[in-house]
Amino acid sequence: MTQVLSPTPEALVLASQLLHDGQLVAFPTETVYGLGANALDAKAVLNIFAAKGRPADNPLIVHVYDRAQLTPLCEVSPLAEKLMDAFWPGPLTLILPRKPAIPDEVAASLPTVAVRMPSHPVAAALLRACKLPIAAPSANRSGKPSPTTAHHVLVDMDGRIPLILDGGSCDVGVESTVLDVTSGAPCILRPGGITKDMLEG
Ligand code: AMP
Ligand code: MG
């Protein structure tokens, strides 16, 4: 059974326990609903691929609430710092060289990892409550549209995950911009909430 709960302090404690226990929790971000697992736990991350029917070669975005959490996860260049200053928290995902704490399952065995700091208060509260980096793709079955309400998530995930935190509708509904900053010139790998003009401004 899948529970749908408002993000009360009690629900956040439950969500945090589930994540520490290797289980999945769906939660709202400012872009779309995410399907989260402890990013440091390879087995937990495999549950995401199973619940979504997502191919294992499609890497996940790791969400954090504090830049200090990145230290064991990836190499942060001065350019990446500048972009974080300008656009975090918000819908900008940065591709950075990964460190060994990130399981291969998160990064589809690439030498890099995608990281972002969401601005949605429920996403931030969940990250703060569990104190884990959370790997989360959109909370839809693979091939279906990305969900912007808890009800959309329930339609796709009922019986597949234990908990959905209902934070209402996501206001962007557009996915995060994915920007590769691992080599010389930054390169947009996926357009999204932060436009090329905003990045160049
Ligand atoms: P989703 O979680 O469904 O929004 O998809 C995340 C997307 O981020 C992936 O489909 C990739 O396009 C991109 N991504 C995640 N990690 C990496 C990476 N290490 N290198 C390049 N692109 C990535
Ligand atoms: Mg998706």
Side-chain angles (χ1 to χ4, degrees):
M1 276 309 300
T2 300
Q3 282 196 84
V4 181
L5 298 177
S6 291
T8 60
E10 295 75 22
L12 289 168
V13 169
L14 173 63
S16 173
Q17 284 167 347
L18 288 166
L19 291 169
H20 279 273
D21 196 30
Q23 302 203 58
L24 304 184
V25 175
F27 62 97
T29 77
E30 70 277 23
T31 60
V32 301
Y33 271 72
L35 183 61
N38 175 1
L40 305 176
D41 178 346
K43 262 178 78 182
V45 166
L46 286 175
N47 290 334
I48 293 178
F49 290 91
K52 278 182 66 85
R54 181 178 175 106
D57 63 356
N58 194 353
L60 305 177
I61 296 169
V62 175
H63 296 70
V64 298
Y65 71 94
D66 181 349
R67 281 197 221 175
Q69 286 181 288
L70 296 176
T71 308
L73 307 182
C74 56
E75 309 283 351
V76 179
S77 63
L79 172 61
E81 295 261 14
K82 245 178 84 179
L83 289 161
M84 290 173 192
D85 288 342
F87 298 105
W88 278 16
L92 179 67
T93 295
L94 296 173
I95 306 297
L96 297 169
R98 94 172 137 116
K99 292 184 182 171
I102 296 287
D104 286 344
E105 287 78 359
V106 169
S109 297
L110 294 167
T112 54
V113 64
V115 293
R116 133 170 152 83
M117 185 185 291
S119 63
H120 193 289
V122 176
L126 177 62
L127 286 159
R128 213 172 277 276
C130 71
K131 298 183 175 64
L132 293 170
I134 298 180
S138 49
N140 51 288
R141 295 271 300 158
S142 228
K144 299 282 191 66
S146 294
T148 54
T149 66
H151 180 70
H152 290 168
V153 179
L154 187 64
V155 168
D156 271 21
M157 292 295 159
D158 197 10
R160 296 177 169 274
I161 63 174
L163 178 62
I164 300 168
L165 291 175
D166 185 352
S169 333
C170 304
D171 25 82
V172 178
V174 172
E175 273 151 322
S176 63
T177 302
V178 177
L179 188 70
D180 185 346
V181 286
T182 55
S183 51
C187 173
I188 296 180
L189 300 183
R190 178 178 78 183
I194 303 287
T195 62
K196 192 162 179 277
D197 280 357
M198 290 161 80
L199 289 169
E200 285 166 355

